Amino acid sequence: MTTTDDGDLLAPTGELTGTVGDDVLTVHRLSEAKPACGAAGEVAEWQRAVTCPECLDADQD
């Protein structure tokens, strides 16, 4: 965990990830609270590793 000098917790420093809609198994990379691959639906943020093939491919471009 990252804290300030006063002991307050800071926001997570890693990349933002999340799931879209009812699919809680595919984890997307989020950019401005939207999936990098363009998936549509309600986003729930998670601190999990990205598993979406399209989001992972976007890193290679």
Side-chain angles (χ1 to χ4, degrees):
M1 284 189 274
T2 305
T3 60
T4 64
D5 292 338
D6 296 331
D8 296 326
L9 287 176
L10 297 174
T13 57
E15 69 180 347
L16 293 177
T17 61
T19 57
V20 177
D22 292 333
D23 181 1
V24 296
L25 298 179
T26 304
V27 181
H28 301 270
R29 179 167 288 109
L30 302 179
S31 176
E32 298 181 17
K34 296 180 182 174
C37 66
E42 184 177 343
V43 174
E45 289 186 15
W46 292 84
Q47 290 184 354
R48 293 171 41 196
V50 174
T51 61
C52 170
E54 290 83 13
C55 288
L56 292 171
D57 284 343
D59 285 348
Q60 304 302 318
D61 296 335

